[in-house]
Amino acid sequence: MSPDPADAWALPRLVLAAPASGHGKTTVATGLLAALRRRGRTVSPHKVGPDYIDPGYHALAAGRPGRNLDPWLVGPERIAPLLRHGASRPTPADIAVVEGVMGLHDGAVGHRGYASTAHVARLIDAPVLLVLDTTAQGRSAAALALGMRAFDPAVRIGGVILNRVGSPRHETLLRDALAEVGVPVLGAVTRAAEVTAPSRHLGLVPVAERAPESLAVVAALADLVESTVDLDAVLDLAGTAPPLTVPAWDPAGAVGGPAGTARPVVAVAGGPAFTFSYAETAELLAAAGADVVTVDPLRDPALPTGTRAVVIGGGFPEVHAEALAGNTGLRAELAGFDGPIVAECAGLLYLGTALDRVPMCGRLPHTARMTGRLTLGYRDAVAATDSPVHRAGDPVRGHEFHRTTTDPGHGDRPAWRWDDAAHGFVAGRVHASYLHTHWAGHPHAARRLVEAASR
């Protein structure tokens, strides 16, 4: 039976964090999710920050959608409600596992830890399990754990998992040092046993691009965690989290109910080339009255029957450019589609005339190319032009994450302004830019899109 959204819910939960990126959070988090699922637990997977790729591995391990918890994108007041919402769907979870981002206290630059893993741990009142890369480190690991614990007393570090341990003697040294400072060790992963997923220019290769191999990686990670981590101790730690007393986030309440009775078909791009989408996007569109369907621009020759609006999120069109170009029927349909189109990052590239000289849809007048420069960071944006998703002047927080550039960088009617510059394109009923947004933070976008599709 699902918990009443208004009642307190004793949901066991914990946050997996690290002192910095590269310590093995995703390895441990994915393996832990899969190992707990093997035990018969219903596990709700979550990721701090805007990242789309790790939640794909989480979803594969847990058997339910991986969801993001990002105070910058949705506001701190929605973090605990979104956790409760995600942990309740499709069935109530027995435990929630939240993978952190970067280092424990690293958040939005210049905002003193805002949107950090520590910030989210405080917002959901969950204990932290610290993953430590112990390569070339002995007793100093205890000093590091102690410093992480003391830096913010409101963040409760309940234990550590030692990663990349060199030998049994090394493990004994580490355990003895951490015992001196009263930090429990809940697991120790040796360097020889480490399992990794392949990566490229923007991080791990998404699950959708390598499904059979991803299944094997997740299974290997489950084996790894089962053999090196004290799962009973992890469950005990998660059980120390107090009941969630906030109501669950409700997509219907967020959009104000259906925008009408028409139920327009809204096609959301998916498949290996367009893997970046938050689960709440489809939920908000459906709550606003849309019939949400998926279109794969690599394989589907046309939009689904009756499509009245299209959403094309992020992904890796640069990896699949030739195959996207080869689907000439869908490209031509999108070039002439008269309904509203919303495109973010990969969608922006796909709607242009060419990507690395390979023809794309030609709906927008820019060309795009790969560069050696990574553009990454949170953005405080303002909608520059009225569009199917925003009114001019609407403030929106988002993030950028790409190694491509477009020429020109914006149209005569730009989508956004930030840092005193124009960005993106609004052309007719098309809204396209590099900015990734989370519609739970501004649900009016979903309602406006459904209203525009219904007209």
Side-chain angles (χ1 to χ4, degrees):
M1 186 179 202
S2 180
D4 189 307
D7 291 341
W9 183 18
L11 174 69
R13 58 194 181 277
L14 58 81
V15 175
L16 280 163
S21 296
H23 278 242
K25 293 189 303 293
T26 302
T27 294
V28 174
T30 305
L32 182 60
L33 289 163
L36 290 172
R37 186 184 179 194
R38 278 184 182 176
R39 277 201 169 193
R41 303 284 177 154
T42 302
V43 193
S44 183
H46 303 265
K47 170 70 179 180
V48 177
D51 176 64
Y52 295 97
I53 299 175
D54 290 352
Y57 283 87
H58 294 173
L60 197 61
R64 58 197 282 156
R67 295 175 182 266
N68 295 68
L69 301 173
D70 191 319
W72 181 272
L73 296 182
V74 304
E77 72 280 3
R78 293 188 180 93
I79 296 301
L82 281 167
L83 170 68
R84 183 162 183 168
H85 168 76
S88 302
R89 294 167 70 95
T91 58
D94 301 321
I95 182 173
V97 175
V98 182
E99 182 192 340
V101 63
M102 301 185 293
L104 175 59
H105 299 286
D106 300 326
V109 176
H111 291 264
R112 298 179 61 86
Y114 187 93
S116 67
T117 302
H119 186 197
V120 170
R122 292 195 303 268
L123 290 170
I124 65 172
D125 205 354
V128 171
L129 181 55
L130 203 61
V131 179
L132 293 181
D133 179 356
T134 61
T135 304
Q137 193 170 205
R139 283 176 55 80
S140 296
L144 178 58
L146 189 62
M148 298 295 285
R149 186 171 66 182
F151 187 78
D152 184 353
V155 177
R156 179 164 60 91
I157 296 178
V160 301
I161 291 177
L162 307 174
N163 195 24
R164 299 169 189 147
V165 177
S167 66
R169 183 182 177 187
H170 186 204
E171 181 180 342
T172 298
L173 186 157
L174 293 163
R175 285 182 179 274
D176 289 347
L178 284 155
E180 289 181 41
V181 297
V183 177
V185 176
L186 275 60
V189 182
T190 65
R191 293 173 205 162
E194 189 175 29
V195 179
T196 58
S199 61
R200 58 169 177 243
H201 57 279
L202 292 181
L204 296 179
V205 176
V207 163
E209 293 188 41
R210 50 188 306 275
E213 297 89 346
S214 298
L215 286 168
V217 167
V218 169
L221 290 173
D223 293 340
L224 176 65
V225 166
E226 284 181 334
S227 63
T228 59
V229 174
D230 185 343
L231 293 178
D232 290 327
V234 170
L235 290 167
D236 288 344
L237 177 60
T240 66
L244 283 172
T245 58
V246 296
W249 177 79
D250 174 31
V255 297
T261 59
R263 295 206 63 81
V265 174
V266 176
V268 178
F274 298 95
T275 56
F276 296 1
S277 180
Y278 297 123
E280 292 80 6
T281 298
E283 291 171 350
L284 285 163
L285 287 169
D291 182 7
V292 182
V293 298
T294 301
V295 58
D296 183 351
L298 285 177
R299 299 182 176 93
D300 293 334
L303 291 172
T305 302
T307 296
R308 300 290 297 275
V310 180
V311 177
I312 313 172
F316 291 98
E318 62 271 22
V319 176
H320 303 278
E322 295 289 350
L324 289 170
N327 191 352
T328 55
L330 184 60
R331 286 199 292 122
E333 186 174 1
L334 286 169
F337 183 68
D338 63 358
I341 302 176
V342 182
E344 293 184 349
C345 201
L348 166 71
L349 308 183
Y350 183 49
L351 291 181
T353 60
L355 171 55
D356 286 333
R357 300 184 179 181
V358 178
M360 292 288 111
C361 294
R363 181 62 183 264
L364 294 174
H366 64 269
T367 59
R369 60 181 175 84
M370 285 290 294
T371 73
R373 177 175 178 268
L374 175 63
T375 300
L376 170 68
Y378 286 130
R379 305 288 183 252
D380 256 320
V382 175
T385 307
D386 281 338
S387 75
V389 279
H390 299 287
R391 296 177 297 271
D394 281 346
V396 173
R397 281 184 161 181
H399 74 102
E400 284 190 284
F401 187 43
H402 57 92
R403 289 188 183 273
T404 60
T405 187
T406 67
D407 182 21
H410 62 85
D412 295 336
R413 302 173 68 226
W416 309 106
R417 294 197 68 86
W418 70 76
D419 295 340
D420 297 320
H423 302 268
F425 302 80
V426 174
R429 304 182 80 189
V430 177
H431 181 283
S433 76
Y434 274 119
L435 194 69
H436 291 287
T437 60
H438 195 310
W439 285 4
H442 47 98
H444 67 267
R447 187 175 183 88
R448 279 179 65 90
L449 183 62
V450 174
E451 288 173 344
S454 299
R455 287 196 290 270

